[in-house]
């Protein structure tokens, strides 16, 4: 399997695009819908910091206009509810002047040569593809206008496109795209620098509310998710996985399992061992049957003896207690400004706390599943995957086929949050299809999902803040210990890398004279992965609750303190303070193009203060909490209002977000992402925790790993989108980090009780 790109980056520093008139041969696999008319492809070059082209990715996105005027756009990213199958195509359609109600969107298969980077992780789809998609639409428009100008004998400057038609601005003359598509296809593609992109005030779709194209099919049950995939002759496989990470199968007695009616085969899966690499699945024993019920009953009848391996004695509670002691010691220096030792020695007040967050599971409502068939030296897969190319390469390596012999079809994803960028369940389906000779659908149960995830790592942090004789925050010392994501591939990875550290810790933005950030060893004993907003979750929780306590100690309003410490409007960088050769990855983007701007953060803070009514008189038992955090290049401020009754029941009355994500391409999806993010974050803040005893995850279903129910969800969620012309950034993950600390700070205001761990305990 190829090395996986970091979760936080597009893996392309700078993108240069080229639109070309694509060959009909390129579209044979897409069927007759793309026959005839004008067909355009988009190529991307990855460029290094000097602007040198480092490689070409061929046809990344397709736009077709048929002779009948039908506009078809290929969506090359995975749809998991975030709306990317809508938002990227609408950018093309808006520049083109298409009739959005008649645009047809089809899902691309996983193919890097055709579609470039398809890894739908890290909230970077819009920021990476916004400009090329606009150019693709503008290019097609220019060619249609050129063809129409020739046909009508009119100056091209007098023509425009609107609602799927070419129009003459001086008269009522108009005609559908299809009338000119054939002629346009014979034209040379104009140069990108000649394109006339729309002005912002000419947008019909960009920057407005556009419901997702899948909405009707989803709510009526017609949408096709991974669990809906079917093939003739398909068999079902469920797997009894080794309960401890890194363990293996010693022996299997499958006599009773094979006696279950409908059970066809029992196959042992060797598994990855340690490290728990992405390129191999977990060790286990698969039961293949005619139906899911028979497969599950057969699994229950299996008698398996395990070699549980070195993690069989691991207990998460003991690990956390050990790390609490470790982080009070001197750690590996990762960022340094000024002299923290002197700041502490001269402090009038010292605030010092340890913050703990547990392991977290993704708990997607659709558990992992995949359908595979291996025939005639080829493998075809249907799966709800965020990373089809990574899955294809992993399958090719695991079952020993060339990558060109593996095809991955992407279904809708019933939730993902980073879990479905991992290919383990897809590897299982491909392996079992090859071994059994059947088309195989692997179906995980909820118990499988909760007990065998790529977990968001637990975290232990120690923060020390010093306040000097002038009542100024003079020093900030942040100690961090958590199993690293890198440990899934490399057991020697004991500390967070620069990419993990930048998620709220090394990019601490406040103007404090002495800043010292240190990390400590924390060995991984589970499969570690990334969850929606990644290390921002615990790091923002610790920092933003600590800052609230600092404000109280200084006699300051928390919002006033944040505005004060952000200082004058400016772009800030962190690279010059990084130690040990470390850097500030900035989510894979050049910080010159996407700077950390204090003015933009101050603006969202001011907006949320105004919209939430911050500072108003509240009844007893009610409180408002504030937090602000930048993640995935998006600035977010959050205010949560809660009521806590005598029985300590917390009711979340209102949530206010102010968000600056640059140009908001689809405001409907921005609002939906933040509304969903508040719900998601309420579970993490109040309910969810994974614990491990003797190497085995103790939670097995939603009775143990709890999510909020409807009565526990926020009563009102208000999303205030800043009017911005800056480059678009991500919105899938930024709602999560500031929510839990804002909630904790609100509970403190209502009750007088500070909380230093997640989930919050009253």
């Amino acid at each position: 399997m190829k090395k996986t790109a970091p979760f936080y980056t597009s893996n392309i520093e700078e993108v240069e695009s080229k639109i070309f008139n694509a060959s009909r041969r390129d579209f044979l696999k897409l069927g007759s819908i793309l026959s005839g008319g004008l067909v355009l492809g988009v190529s991307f070059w990855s460029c290094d910091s000097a602007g040198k082209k480092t490689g070409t990715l061929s046809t990344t996105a397709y736009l077709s206009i048929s002779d009948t005027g039908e506009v078809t756009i290929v969506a090359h990213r995975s749809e998991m509810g975030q709306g990317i199958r809508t938002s990227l195509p609408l950018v093309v359609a808006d520049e083109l002047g298409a009739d959005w109600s008649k645009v047809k969107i089809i899902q691309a298969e996983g193919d890097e040569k055709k579609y470039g980077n398809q890894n739908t992780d890290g909230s970077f789809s819009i920021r990476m593809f916004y400009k090329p998609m606009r150019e693709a639409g503008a290019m097609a428009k220019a060619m249609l206008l050129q063809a129409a100008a020739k046909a009508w004998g009119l100056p091209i400057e007098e023509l425009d496109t609107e609602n799927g038609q070419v129009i003459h601005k001086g008269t009522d003359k108009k005609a559908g795209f299809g009338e000119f598509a054939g002629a346009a296809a014979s034209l040379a593609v104009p140069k990108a620098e000649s394109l006339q992109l729309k002005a912002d005030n000419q947008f019909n779709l960009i920057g407005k509310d556009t419901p997702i194209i899948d909405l009707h099919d989803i709510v009526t049950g017609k949408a096709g998710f991974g669990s809906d995939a079917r093939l003739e002759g398909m068999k079902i496989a469920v797997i009894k996985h080794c309960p401890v990470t890194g363990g293996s199968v010693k022996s299997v007695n499958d006599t009773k399992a094979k006696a279950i009616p409908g059970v066809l085969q029992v196959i042992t899966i060797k598994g990855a061992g340690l490290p728990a690499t992405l390129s191999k699945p977990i060790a286990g024993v698969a039961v293949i049957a005619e139906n899911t019920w028979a497969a599950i009953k057969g699994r229950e009848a299996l008698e398996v003896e395990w070699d549980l391996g070195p993690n069989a004695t691991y207990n998460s509670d003991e690990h956390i207690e050990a790390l609490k002691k470790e982080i009070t010691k001197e750690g590996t220096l990762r960022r340094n400004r000024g002299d923290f030792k002197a700041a502490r020695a001269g402090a009038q007040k010292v605030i010092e706390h340890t913050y703990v967050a547990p392991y977290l599971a993704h708990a997607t409502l659709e558990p992992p599943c995949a359908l595979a068939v291996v025939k005639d030296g080829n493998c075809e897969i249907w799966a709800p995957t965020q990373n089809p190319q990574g899955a294809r390469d992993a399958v090719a390596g695991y079952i020993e086929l060339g990558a060109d012999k593996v095809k991955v079809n992407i279904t809708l994803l019933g939730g993902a949050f980073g879990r479905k960028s991992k290919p383990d369940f897809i590897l299982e389906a491909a392996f079992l299809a090859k071994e059994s000779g059947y088309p195989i659908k692997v179906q995980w149960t909820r118990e499988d999902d909760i007990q065998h995830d790529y977990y968001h790592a637990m975290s232990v942090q120690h923060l020390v803040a010093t306040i000097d004789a002038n009542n100024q925050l003079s020093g900030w010392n942040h100690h961090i210990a958590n199993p690293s994501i890198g440990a899934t591939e490399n057991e020697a990875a004991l500390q967070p890398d620069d990419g993990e550290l930048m998620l709220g810790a090394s990019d601490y933005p406040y103007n404090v004279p002495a800043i010292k950030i240190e990390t400590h060893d924390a060995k991984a004993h589970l499969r570690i992965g990334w969850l929606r907003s990644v290390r921002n979750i615990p790091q923002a929780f610790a920092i933003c609750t600590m800052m609230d306590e600092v404000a109280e100690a200084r006699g300051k309003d928390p919002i006033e303190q944040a505005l004060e410490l952000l200082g004058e409007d400016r772009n800030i960088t962190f690279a010059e303070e990084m130690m040990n050769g470390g850097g500030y990855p900035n989510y894979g983007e050049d910080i010159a193009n996407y700077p950390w701007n204090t003015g933009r953060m101050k603006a969202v803070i001011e907006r949320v203060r105004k919209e939430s009514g911050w500072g108003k008189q509240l009844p007893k038992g009610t409180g408002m909490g504030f937090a602000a955090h930048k993640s995935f290049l998006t600035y977010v401020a959050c205010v949560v209002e809660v009521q806590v009754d005598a029985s300590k029941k917390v009711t979340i009355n209102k949530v206010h977000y102010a968000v600056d994500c640059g140009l908001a391409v689809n405001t409907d999806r921005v609002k939906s992402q933040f509304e969903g993010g508040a719900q998601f974050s309420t579970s993490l803040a109040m309910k969810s925790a994974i614990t491990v005893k003797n190497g085995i995850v103790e939670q097995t279903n939603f009775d143990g790993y709890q999510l909020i129910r409807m009565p526990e969800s926020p009563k009102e969620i208000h999303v205030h989108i800043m009017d911005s012309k800056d480059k678009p950034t991500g919105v899938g993950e930024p709602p999560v980090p500031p929510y839990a600390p804002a909630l904790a700070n609100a509970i403190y205001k209502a009750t007088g009780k500070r909380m230093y761990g997640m989930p919050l305990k009253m």
Side-chain angles (χ1 to χ4, degrees):
M1 181 181 180
K2 292 182 179 179
K3 184 178 179 182
T4 305
F7 57 87
Y8 55 80
T9 176
S10 63
N11 206 31
I12 295 181
E13 294 181 6
E14 185 108 9
V15 168
E16 180 180 335
S17 61
K18 178 183 177 182
I19 291 88
F20 60 92
N21 205 333
S23 163
R24 291 285 175 269
R25 188 177 297 121
D26 292 330
F27 296 90
L28 290 178
K29 290 185 179 180
L30 294 176
S32 60
I33 57 170
L34 293 180
S35 63
L38 172 63
V39 180
L40 293 180
V42 182
S43 285
F44 286 157
W45 283 278
S46 173
C47 301
D48 62 20
S49 57
K52 181 180 178 182
K53 295 173 183 176
T54 58
T56 302
L57 305 178
S58 63
T59 316
T60 301
Y62 294 135
L63 164 64
S64 166
I65 304 171
S66 74
D67 290 334
T68 63
E70 181 177 67
V71 175
T72 301
I73 302 170
V74 176
H76 67 295
R77 313 294 282 175
S78 297
E79 178 60 57
M80 60 196 94
Q82 86 282 35
I84 203 64
R85 265 168 51 94
T86 301
S87 297
L88 279 178
L90 77 79
V91 172
V92 180
D94 202 341
E95 280 291 348
L96 173 61
D99 181 346
W100 179 247
S101 68
K102 297 179 182 178
V103 170
K104 185 168 187 175
I105 296 172
I106 59 175
Q107 181 67 49
E109 65 181 279
D111 190 328
E112 185 175 8
K113 291 181 180 179
K114 287 184 178 179
Y115 304 110
N117 188 323
Q118 291 177 267
N119 183 17
T120 315
D121 260 318
S123 299
F124 66 76
S125 293
I126 288 291
R127 82 170 190 253
M128 182 177 178
F129 292 104
Y130 174 70
K131 183 172 180 280
M133 295 301 99
R134 286 192 68 185
E135 290 177 345
M139 192 71 75
K141 173 181 176 178
M143 296 170 75
L144 288 171
L145 294 183
Q146 187 177 346
K150 184 177 180 180
W152 287 347
L154 292 170
I156 195 170
E157 295 79 11
E158 295 180 8
L159 305 181
D160 204 348
T161 58
E162 183 179 277
N163 292 323
Q165 297 178 314
V166 176
I167 62 171
H168 181 227
K169 290 180 282 188
T171 66
D172 292 333
K173 191 177 185 66
K174 63 181 66 173
F177 285 172
E179 186 168 327
F180 309 107
S186 66
L187 299 174
V189 176
K191 293 182 178 180
E193 53 267 27
S194 70
L195 292 177
Q196 183 68 44
L197 297 179
K198 283 186 174 182
D200 292 350
N201 62 4
Q202 295 176 306
F203 290 149
N204 295 308
L205 297 168
I206 296 171
K208 298 176 173 59
D209 276 4
T210 303
I212 58 173
I213 59 166
D214 303 292
L215 183 61
H216 179 268
D217 285 353
I218 289 172
V219 300
T220 58
K222 296 178 182 178
F225 294 87
S227 57
D228 297 313
R230 298 284 187 275
L231 277 180
E232 185 177 351
M234 179 185 79
K235 309 303 178 188
I236 303 295
V238 298
I239 301 164
K240 190 178 186 74
H241 295 106
C242 183
V244 177
T245 297
S248 60
V249 179
K250 286 181 69 174
S251 65
V252 182
N253 183 342
D254 59 9
T255 303
K256 294 178 181 178
K258 288 181 174 178
I260 301 292
V263 170
L264 302 171
Q265 294 184 34
V266 175
I267 298 175
T268 297
I269 300 173
K270 184 178 179 181
L274 292 174
T277 174
L278 292 174
S279 61
K280 294 181 181 178
I282 308 169
V285 182
V287 176
I288 297 173
E290 293 286 359
N291 55 67
T292 306
W293 181 250
I296 290 174
K297 299 307 287 185
R299 179 173 68 174
E300 291 173 356
L302 284 173
E303 297 174 0
V304 182
E305 183 180 3
W306 306 102
D307 178 351
L308 297 177
N311 289 323
T313 59
Y314 176 65
N315 294 311
S316 57
D317 288 346
E318 293 175 1
H319 196 187
I320 287 172
E321 290 305 314
L323 290 177
K324 284 181 180 179
K325 297 176 182 178
E326 171 64 26
I327 59 169
T328 61
K329 304 173 185 176
E330 186 175 347
T332 302
L333 187 60
R334 305 291 291 273
R335 180 184 172 192
N336 191 57
R337 174 196 291 176
D339 187 343
F340 178 78
K341 185 176 180 180
R344 180 160 188 164
Q348 294 294 302
K349 295 178 184 177
V350 176
I351 306 171
E352 188 169 3
H353 295 294
T354 295
Y355 297 81
V356 176
Y359 290 106
L360 296 169
H362 296 82
T364 61
L365 289 187
E366 177 195 36
C369 57
L371 170 60
V373 60
V374 177
K375 186 177 180 181
D376 300 329
N378 294 280
C379 177
E380 187 164 8
I381 293 159
W382 292 260
T385 175
Q386 293 174 251
N387 188 4
Q389 294 159 7
R392 181 199 61 186
D393 292 346
V395 166
Y398 189 56
I399 66 173
E400 300 179 337
L401 288 177
D404 61 335
K405 302 295 185 182
V406 179
K407 180 180 180 180
V408 178
N409 302 292
I410 309 163
T411 69
L412 290 175
L413 285 65
F417 315 125
R419 172 61 180 96
K420 292 174 183 173
S421 60
K422 321 303 190 300
D424 53 335
F425 57 99
I426 301 171
L427 294 174
E428 291 171 340
F431 173 75
L432 294 173
K434 181 180 179 182
E435 292 296 304
S436 70
Y438 295 116
I440 294 293
K441 176 185 279 187
V442 164
Q443 180 63 64
W444 284 36
T445 63
R446 177 63 60 204
E447 288 78 8
D448 296 327
D449 182 37
I450 297 296
Q451 293 204 294
H452 302 289
D453 200 355
Y454 285 87
Y455 299 96
H456 188 268
M458 56 81 160
S459 169
V460 180
Q461 302 171 83
H462 189 72
L463 282 172
V464 185
T466 63
I467 300 171
D468 66 17
N470 296 317
N471 200 33
Q472 299 301 307
L473 178 58
S474 57
W476 182 266
N477 185 203
H478 192 171
H479 292 258
I480 301 167
N482 61 262
S484 173
I485 292 169
T488 295
E489 297 291 341
N490 176 15
E491 287 187 277
L494 299 176
Q495 297 195 9
D497 66 18
D498 293 335
E500 293 172 280
L501 197 64
M502 77 169 180
L503 305 177
S506 62
D507 60 347
Y508 178 78
Y510 296 111
N511 193 15
V512 180
I515 297 174
K516 187 178 183 183
I517 298 175
E518 303 170 72
T519 54
H520 300 258
D521 286 359
K523 185 175 175 60
H525 298 276
L526 300 175
R527 300 196 300 176
I528 303 300
W530 46 88
L531 176 90
R532 185 181 186 180
S533 87
V534 206
R535 303 313 303 166
N536 284 293
I537 298 169
Q539 289 166 185
F541 174 75
I543 292 167
C544 295
T545 53
M546 182 65 145
M547 290 298 291
D548 193 80
E549 193 163 347
V550 168
E552 182 180 46
R554 296 177 64 209
K556 293 274 189 178
D557 175 86
I559 286 182
E560 286 297 333
Q561 174 180 263
L563 296 171
E564 167 207 329
L565 292 176
L566 284 167
E568 63 184 15
D569 293 356
R570 69 199 189 285
N571 294 336
I572 56 177
T573 185
F574 312 95
E576 69 277 6
E577 296 175 6
M578 300 303 173
M579 310 299 292
N580 300 306
Y584 182 68
N586 199 40
Y587 296 91
E589 299 290 355
D590 187 339
I591 201 165
N593 294 328
Y594 290 88
W596 212 118
N597 183 270
T598 60
R600 292 176 71 180
M601 179 59 85
K602 287 160 63 179
V604 295
I605 293 172
E606 293 276 20
R607 178 75 179 274
V608 86
R609 173 164 64 176
K610 175 185 175 183
E611 301 288 356
S612 67
W614 180 264
K616 65 185 178 184
Q617 288 294 115
L618 296 171
K620 183 179 179 181
T622 303
M624 296 175 76
F626 157 78
H629 189 78
K630 178 174 181 273
S631 68
F632 296 88
L633 307 174
T634 291
Y635 302 81
V636 180
C638 180
V639 168
V640 177
E641 181 180 319
V642 304
Q643 183 177 354
V644 184
D645 66 17
S647 67
K648 299 183 179 180
K649 177 185 175 184
V650 177
T651 299
I652 304 171
N653 292 327
K654 295 180 182 179
V655 177
H656 284 270
Y657 282 113
V659 52
D660 180 352
C661 57
L663 175 67
V665 169
N666 185 353
T667 51
D668 173 78
R669 286 298 91 194
V670 176
K671 288 181 281 191
S672 292
Q673 286 291 294
F674 274 77
E675 290 163 356
Q679 309 283 1
F680 182 89
S681 303
T682 304
S683 289
L684 301 187
M686 302 293 290
K687 293 280 191 177
S688 302
I690 290 290
T691 58
V692 185
K693 188 172 183 179
N694 295 325
I696 300 173
V697 171
E698 295 185 284
Q699 292 70 31
T700 60
N701 208 308
F702 287 147
D703 58 337
Y705 189 79
Q706 295 189 17
L707 309 180
I708 59 165
R709 272 44 175 185
M710 290 181 68
E712 299 166 306
S713 66
K715 307 306 177 190
E716 297 179 19
I717 303 170
H718 303 273
V719 184
H720 312 287
I721 303 171
M722 304 296 286
D723 184 12
S724 175
K725 304 300 186 244
D726 284 296
K727 297 175 183 177
T729 53
V731 296
E733 290 159 290
V736 178
Y739 182 88
L743 176 61
N745 293 336
I747 292 172
Y748 170 71
K749 299 299 192 300
T751 65
K753 181 180 179 180
R754 294 268 181 204
M755 283 162 284
Y756 303 103
M758 295 173 62
L760 306 176
K761 301 295 183 185
M762 288 299 300

